[in-house]
Amino acid sequence: MGRFRQSYRRLTERHRKPLVMVRLLLLAVVLLAAVIVSIGLGSLRVPVSDVLRTLVGLGEQKYELIVYQLRMPRIAASILVGAAMAISGTILQALIRNPLASPDLLGTTSGATAAVVAFITIMNGQVAVGWMPVVAMAGGCIASAITYLLAWRGGSSPLRMAMIGVSVSSAMGALTIYFTLAGPIYLVSQALGWMAGTVYGTSWTHVLYLAPWVVVGGALALFQSRSLNVLELGDRIAIGVGMRVERNRFLFIILAVVLASAAVGIAGGISFVGLMAPHMARKLVGNHNGAIVTASALLGALFLLLADLVGRTVFVPLDIPAGIFTAILGAPFFIYLMYRHRHG
Amino acid sequence: MNSLLSTDKGKAAGFAGALALLILSAAASVLFGLRNFSLDTVIQAYTSYTGSDEQLIIRTSRVPRALTAAVIGCSLAVSGVLLQAMTRNPLASPSILGINAGAALAIVSMLYWYGAVFTFGDLIWVAFIGAGISAGAIFLIATAGKGGMTPIKLILTGSALASFATSINSLFMLISNETLEGALYWLTGSVSNSNLNHTLQLLPYMAAGWVIALLMTRSLNVMAMGDDVAIGLGQRMVWVKLLTLLVVVLLAGGSVALAGPIAFVGIMIPHISRWLIGNDHRWVLPYSAVLGAAFLLLADTLSRFLIHGKEVPVGVTTAVLGVPFVVALVRRKALGQI
């Protein structure tokens, strides 16, 4: 009955397409505004008019460095990381058909974090940025595979997935601390920042190494969103319309893990964005996966951008990892979700 | 009951074995580490004290540390038994329900706001209050809404609140100028800097908790059968549950005040005890107390050898040992329906 209603709703959504487009545009405008405001705010305040002038190349010399070299890369990194996490969460929620699914719950985030910290320690801090997303992906894939395999018992119940995800995450957390302590003491602060998740100190190099993964991954998710839609309806329907379910599901999970891990490779264990953004996106634009992937990416980007803005402006002169704020907001949201979706 | 030991005699013998294990692990904890000592040296440190380096290490570091690990292991295991009986949820434990994280948050936030002006006696009460508030919040939130308290709601609320508390914790630690090594301590829990005075100061509270728990074993048996049966048998459930929760707060809060949040002892040990001797809490509780102490002593001894020349917080070791266990537990058929 529920499934019928869902399919019906999806059919009727066609008629609301203009509304969805308006909302997506609105979201993009809000993100753009947040970017401009965020460029202006910081230890040295740049007025909005100057931000705009600098962006089109007519600004004063003194703002150039701040805008282009300090704030823009960091903002770009937040947007990419937030979007990657959000798209990854959207895919996982559709695939696993579990409202609590997210890269955090699958152990991807913590596995990638452990791999990166191990890598930093083994290489004694001398690491090339380009390798980070790759190393993170290896860790993220391993941890997610462990969680998924262990949680599988002829199906994956939300609780079993959650419990095993929590356990695998804490094992990965223990490994992270182990590798932190195994290395020299001056690497501890670097590793701690990683564990919480931060875009502090990102340069254009970081952005350049992250961008391909996110852009290609996001595009794939967007273009394949139709298959994602079908998969979400359940295996029987998907097989009925002629889809190779297992292969598609496997590829989508790889895509989700790659997106989230690449983000962790640059920004560390940013949690809860991959959980929250898809749910808010669903509220805004409904269940259609093309729209939901876009909306979710925009929301995730906006979310992390704001978290980082708070982290670097509210506690001046300290720079607080954005991941802490996403977790402070995300945990109550998680509890709220449990009440909305009652699978208990 | 498919337990390993089914007769009373067998259970008593098993208990003697568990006690022997506890004594052996305490000895291992005192003797082995970065420097290994002989038993003679340890005895001499207390009979003919000369103030040599070796004797100093034994008296000020090894023995306090072993005592602390034993006290905490015992308390966490007992509070795990209480929580699992009370919620009839095999996954309940002070760390998974976020009680440990709440107590740690209370301590860290007081240190953050007021600086290091507290005596350990104050901190104990801060931890109790923190553990109490988080336990109350978790049970209120998990009971609210349609359908009352289900196992999945309780566990997920707990883990969400735990990660909430942990992230506020790291926020405070990053804002303040605490050393990073100190910060790690409040995130994972460690007994490496144990202070004998602190442990002795806390011991009366913990001992009170253990005694109350031991006196409650019959009520625990009734409570584990479910509310309907318990009320039918004339138990005043509200009071029993409140008392249980009070003991949990005492034991978990005290452990956190002493060593930070140490996970997985509270979930593993009760299951091992039940596997050994069945569901009767008159046996499960003492077994868990002894095995919990032995487990943490062994884990702490092990964590001295995981990285050459350095120590790993014991919380890391318990997590590494505990995760496979929890995974196996969650995969068991009995839990399939949850």
Side-chain angles (χ1 to χ4, degrees):
Chain A
M1 184 64 211
R3 190 155 292 160
F4 262 96
R5 204 183 302 148
Q6 268 185 10
S7 326
Y8 178 72
R9 200 183 298 152
R10 207 164 277 128
L11 280 174
T12 52
E13 253 155 36
R14 292 260 161 80
H15 304 289
R16 296 194 314 174
K17 219 162 190 182
L19 188 65
V20 168
M21 284 310 286
V22 168
R23 287 187 179 173
L24 285 180
L25 269 178
L26 215 63
L27 213 52
V29 170
V30 172
L31 179 63
L32 194 66
V35 167
I36 290 167
V37 171
S38 182
I39 291 176
L41 290 177
S43 48
L44 191 135
R45 207 160 277 198
V46 184
V48 172
S49 55
D50 283 305
V51 171
L52 292 174
R53 230 172 282 153
T54 313
L55 283 180
V56 293
L58 302 168
E60 292 171 51
Q61 201 72 47
K62 61 176 178 179
Y63 293 137
E64 294 258 313
L65 176 79
I66 295 175
V67 170
Y68 280 118
Q69 293 309 317
L70 296 177
R71 300 215 179 129
M72 289 274 284
R74 191 166 171 164
I75 287 165
S78 326
I79 290 177
L80 287 173
V81 168
M85 285 291 186
I87 297 173
S88 170
T90 313
I91 296 174
L92 290 176
Q93 282 172 18
L95 281 188
I96 306 177
R97 274 175 286 144
N98 177 344
L100 302 177
S102 69
D104 318 328
L105 197 70
L106 206 60
T108 314
T109 315
S110 57
T113 309
V116 168
V117 171
F119 188 58
I120 295 178
T121 303
I122 290 164
M123 304 298 285
N124 226 341
Q126 307 294 315
V127 284
V129 186
W131 281 104
M132 297 294 233
V134 181
V135 171
M137 269 168 222
C141 284
I142 293 171
S144 324
I146 293 176
T147 310
Y148 198 78
L149 288 177
L150 288 177
W152 190 263
R153 267 191 74 114
S156 63
S157 90
L159 176 69
R160 201 162 49 230
M161 190 78 133
M163 274 311 295
I164 289 180
V166 167
S167 307
V168 170
S169 294
S170 60
M172 293 297 156
L175 280 184
T176 309
I177 292 179
Y178 173 84
F179 284 118
T180 311
L181 291 170
I185 192 75
Y186 60 87
L187 289 177
V188 169
S189 67
Q190 201 182 341
L192 260 192
W194 221 283
M195 280 143 79
T198 177
V199 284
Y200 171 75
T202 39
S203 64
W204 283 118
T205 328
H206 293 95
V207 175
L208 275 180
Y209 280 113
L210 177 59
W213 298 104
V214 181
V215 171
V216 173
L220 270 176
L222 199 58
F223 292 130
Q224 293 297 314
S225 58
R226 187 179 291 269
S227 338
L228 200 59
N229 251 174
V230 176
L231 274 175
E232 203 183 358
L233 290 175
D235 289 2
R236 264 185 293 176
I237 296 181
I239 294 170
V241 299
M243 175 182 276
R244 290 161 75 180
V245 173
E246 290 305 331
R247 196 192 67 150
N248 268 295
R249 191 181 358 240
F250 181 72
L251 291 178
F252 268 120
I253 288 193
I254 296 277
L255 181 59
V257 169
V258 162
L259 276 169
S261 307
V264 173
I266 294 302
I270 305 256
S271 52
F272 287 109
V273 176
L275 177 78
M276 279 192 278
H279 281 284
M280 295 180 176
R282 190 165 294 129
K283 279 236 143 171
L284 268 178
V285 297
N287 252 336
H288 191 278
N289 270 309
I292 210 180
V293 167
T294 319
S296 174
L298 289 171
L299 277 170
L302 181 66
F303 195 41
L304 196 58
L305 182 66
L306 294 179
D308 187 47
L309 182 63
V310 172
R312 67 187 173 86
T313 53
V314 174
F315 299 92
V316 174
L318 292 162
D319 208 305
I320 305 297
I324 287 180
F325 297 102
T326 59
I328 289 175
L329 275 179
F333 185 83
F334 184 84
I335 292 177
Y336 159 77
L337 272 185
M338 276 174 11
Y339 289 91
R340 294 262 336 281
H341 302 266
R342 305 186 35 75
H343 285 247
Chain B
M1 205 53 60
N2 289 323
S3 55
L4 215 59
L5 309 165
S6 48
T7 60
D8 271 5
K9 218 175 243 174
K11 288 175 184 174
F15 191 65
L19 279 175
L21 179 68
L22 172 61
I23 291 167
L24 283 180
S25 16
S29 166
V30 173
L31 296 179
F32 306 126
L34 206 55
R35 292 181 61 176
N36 297 334
F37 301 113
S38 69
L39 203 56
D40 287 343
T41 326
V42 176
I43 295 168
Q44 274 165 19
Y46 284 90
T47 52
S48 53
Y49 183 60
T50 57
S52 69
D53 279 359
E54 290 183 335
Q55 295 191 343
L56 212 60
I57 293 176
I58 291 171
R59 283 175 69 136
T60 58
S61 163
R62 288 287 172 79
V63 171
R65 186 170 173 170
L67 186 66
T68 310
V71 167
I72 290 173
C74 172
S75 303
L76 288 174
V78 168
S79 53
V81 172
L82 295 178
L83 280 173
Q84 288 175 13
M86 177 183 156
T87 58
R88 283 182 294 133
N89 184 339
L91 298 174
S93 78
S95 57
I96 286 186
L97 293 190
I99 298 174
N100 280 350
L105 175 61
I107 292 183
V108 170
S109 53
M110 290 312 267
L111 289 177
Y112 168 69
W113 274 315
Y114 298 105
V117 295
F118 298 101
T119 63
F120 184 70
D122 300 335
L123 284 185
I124 293 176
W125 283 100
V126 171
F128 287 159
I129 293 169
I133 291 175
S134 50
I138 287 148
F139 280 98
L140 277 184
I141 295 177
T143 319
K146 289 172 289 179
M149 188 173 76
T150 59
I152 182 171
K153 264 166 80 180
L154 186 69
I155 295 295
L156 292 179
T157 309
S159 55
L161 279 185
S163 72
F164 180 68
T166 309
S167 35
I168 297 188
N169 237 344
S170 8
L171 175 66
F172 282 142
M173 287 183 310
L174 287 163
I175 297 176
S176 72
N177 295 319
E178 291 281 324
T179 62
L180 290 166
E181 278 168 295
L184 279 178
Y185 168 75
W186 286 115
L187 282 179
T188 42
S190 156
V191 290
S192 61
N193 293 319
S194 301
N195 178 328
L196 191 60
N197 288 333
H198 290 176
T199 310
L200 292 179
Q201 212 175 331
L202 192 66
L203 201 55
Y205 299 100
M206 300 298 229
W210 301 336
V211 171
I212 300 176
L214 277 175
L215 293 176
M216 285 176 65
T217 47
R218 277 167 197 281
S219 304
L220 291 180
N221 277 344
V222 177
M223 193 154 62
M225 285 188 244
D227 283 4
D228 293 343
V229 178
I231 292 167
L233 288 174
Q235 282 271 349
R236 273 176 285 184
M237 288 309 292
V238 178
W239 293 108
V240 175
K241 281 188 173 173
L242 273 180
L243 189 63
T244 313
L245 214 52
L246 187 77
V247 176
V248 168
V249 163
L250 209 62
L251 294 177
S255 305
V256 172
L258 213 49
I262 295 177
F264 290 103
V265 182
I267 184 167
M268 280 173 75
I269 300 300
H271 283 282
I272 294 176
S273 309
R274 273 197 293 266
W275 172 71
L276 282 172
I277 41 94
N279 275 333
D280 185 350
H281 284 89
R282 283 172 301 176
W283 286 104
V284 171
L285 205 89
Y287 260 82
S288 297
V290 172
L291 289 177
F295 173 72
L296 202 61
L297 280 166
L298 286 178
D300 180 42
T301 313
L302 185 63
S303 59
R304 297 168 201 171
F305 296 100
L306 288 180
I307 301 180
H308 184 70
K310 269 190 199 173
E311 292 203 2
V312 174
V314 69
V316 171
T317 316
T318 57
V320 170
L321 295 174
V323 165
F325 187 90
V326 174
V327 167
L329 186 66
V330 174
R331 281 181 61 81
R332 266 197 355 214
K333 249 213 163 71
L335 276 167
Q337 286 82 20
I338 307 181

